[in-house]
Amino acid sequence: MTASAQNDRVNNITLEDINASIVDTVNQSSEIMKRVVSQPKQWNGRSHQTPIFTNNSQLGTSFKGTETLDTSIDFNTQKLTWYPTGYAQPVGVSLVEQSINKTPAGVINLVDGSYQYAQNSMITALGNIFYGYGTGNDFDGLGLIVDDGTNTTSYAGLSRTTYPTINAFLTTATGGVLDLDTMNAADDGATISGDLSETPNLILSDQTTWSLYSSLLTPTQYATYGALGGDFIKGDTAVGQQVSASNGLSMNGGAMSVTFRGKPYVRDQKSPSGVQWFINEKWFEFRSLPINTLDMVATTETVTTGAYDKYRVSAFQFRKYIQPVGQLAEVGIFVMYGNLICNNPNRTAKISGITGV
């Protein structure tokens, strides 16, 4: 039975107790935001370009003595090109509601709560965009970057067909089954052997796919008997405390963290389902263009608590609150401007279509 309110004798003369922070029950993890946008680099100029080699010289030859060598000029480069784009999230607060909230009965600062509500909504929206295809005015995302022509025809202005060295390694789980051989192939396809800096250093996926991989590592359940037995948690034991039993059985199940070939495997609830992303963070960066008169801000949680407590996204900018003519309100705007850049998509891989093991 759910408890109900007291009668009017109590209700009419007793105040409620309001928690001093707002609990975020909506948003979920956005690991790609935490890792990619935490340390942005500054944008410079009307575009950002990276020269790349797409083939080798063919002038070299074996020789014995005094043969004439081909001394033609042979230096072939292309350039990847990115243009800046942006995302904006307004914050509006009523002046009347602010005034009411600032009376002694106010518990949580309305302006701070509105600010962090908008901030967290923006983190969630951008987390989804960074797994997308850069359509419209969206930032480039992993869907666009980690591709071989299957879903996109070009990247950063270059054709994937003409310049296949900008392509990632893509494969599909046969019959939907995730196995270690498929993961080995994906990792190998994005790796230069013998150089740890030229191999993926991070794997991302949704939680279900993460759990499927975890299950591959524990195909059997087992128990270990020790001479002293295991810890026993009694029903009357205080929270956070354990009482050791002199004899007994201790069993552990499940994993809090997993790795593959020494690489951390991180679950991200923004990732599309059934997909594993193999990323080399060395080649990724977010270039941020500071907008004139806007303040660079790091995300903060002072009156809210939940999924983004530990996030410090420092690529956000904020236009200070102004009061529109004809309205008793203040409006600010969060902005992130620039683009997500991968200078070498060839060092990434993707497994899609995962449904089981």
Side-chain angles (χ1 to χ4, degrees):
M1 177 180 176
T2 302
S4 59
Q6 296 288 340
N7 57 51
D8 287 346
R9 291 192 301 274
V10 174
N11 295 342
N12 291 342
I13 62 173
T14 308
L15 294 174
E16 293 112 339
D17 179 27
I18 298 178
N19 191 51
S21 61
I22 305 168
V23 178
D24 186 347
T25 64
V26 177
N27 294 304
Q28 299 176 323
S29 66
S30 185
E31 292 299 315
I32 192 169
M33 280 289 293
K34 184 190 295 183
R35 301 183 72 101
V36 172
V37 192
S38 60
Q39 296 179 320
K41 296 182 179 180
Q42 186 161 319
W43 191 280
N44 184 29
R46 61 186 179 87
S47 66
H48 179 77
Q49 299 180 340
T50 296
I52 62 171
F53 289 127
T54 58
N55 57 36
N56 288 318
S57 172
Q58 302 300 312
L59 300 182
T61 185
S62 300
F63 78 103
K64 187 171 183 66
T66 59
E67 293 91 338
T68 299
L69 302 179
D70 188 342
T71 58
S72 303
I73 302 299
D74 188 9
F75 183 71
N76 296 306
T77 61
Q78 298 295 326
K79 59 185 179 184
L80 297 168
T81 304
W82 296 267
Y83 296 95
T85 189
Y87 188 91
Q89 172 70 55
V91 186
V93 188
S94 161
L95 292 180
V96 172
E97 292 174 1
Q98 279 189 57
S99 301
I100 295 172
N101 178 248
K102 285 184 176 181
T103 65
V107 176
I108 299 171
N109 186 287
L110 177 63
V111 175
D112 291 346
S114 300
Y115 180 98
Q116 291 164 36
Y117 172 75
Q119 162 197 279
N120 292 354
S121 298
M122 184 165 168
I123 291 174
T124 289
L126 290 174
N128 292 322
I129 287 173
F130 283 136
Y131 280 103
Y133 293 90
T135 56
N137 292 322
D138 284 354
F139 298 117
D140 287 359
L142 293 188
L144 172 65
I145 296 167
V146 188
D147 194 35
D148 62 355
T150 300
N151 303 294
T152 60
T153 58
S154 63
Y155 177 62
L158 295 184
S159 165
R160 292 190 180 277
T161 302
T162 306
Y163 304 105
T165 60
I166 66 171
N167 290 338
F169 181 92
L170 266 62
T171 189
T172 301
T174 303
V177 175
L178 176 66
D179 56 48
L180 295 180
D181 287 342
T182 303
M183 293 182 67
N184 288 336
D187 190 59
D188 289 344
T191 296
I192 293 180
S193 299
D195 190 346
L196 288 177
S197 69
E198 296 299 324
T199 185
N201 70 324
L202 172 70
I203 303 171
L204 295 166
S205 79
D206 64 287
Q207 287 181 293
T208 300
T209 304
W210 186 95
S211 295
L212 289 173
Y213 170 69
S214 177
S215 71
L216 290 176
L217 308 182
T218 53
T220 58
Q221 297 290 334
Y222 62 90
T224 301
Y225 293 84
L228 298 178
D231 289 335
F232 178 67
I233 304 175
K234 301 193 299 180
D236 59 352
T237 301
V239 174
Q241 296 182 351
Q242 291 183 338
V243 176
S244 296
S246 58
N247 294 287
L249 167 66
S250 176
M251 300 183 69
N252 295 318
M256 293 293 293
S257 62
V258 294
T259 62
F260 175 72
R261 288 183 168 180
K263 315 166 197 294
Y265 185 166
V266 179
R267 46 192 162 179
D268 188 350
Q269 288 167 310
K270 300 298 183 296
S271 173
S273 62
V275 178
Q276 283 183 339
W277 309 87
F278 292 70
I279 305 300
N280 186 328
E281 293 177 294
K282 165 187 172 181
W283 296 111
F284 282 79
E285 60 188 39
F286 186 85
R287 292 269 173 173
S288 176
L289 175 65
I291 303 299
N292 189 36
T293 75
L294 270 60
D295 296 326
M296 299 298 298
V297 295
T299 57
T300 183
E301 303 283 328
T302 57
V303 300
T304 58
T305 182
Y308 298 146
D309 285 351
K310 305 300 182 183
Y311 284 54
R312 292 296 180 269
V313 179
S314 56
F316 278 17
Q317 304 174 57
F318 191 71
R319 194 205 69 182
K320 294 179 180 179
Y321 291 102
I322 62 173
Q323 297 182 15
V325 176
Q327 185 180 23
L328 289 176
E330 288 184 323
V331 178
I333 302 176
F334 279 107
V335 171
M336 195 162 80
Y337 212 91
N339 218 335
L340 178 62
I341 289 167
C342 179
N343 289 307
N344 194 355
N346 193 249
R347 299 291 175 265
T348 65
K350 180 173 75 170
I351 304 173
S352 57
I354 300 169
T355 59
V357 292

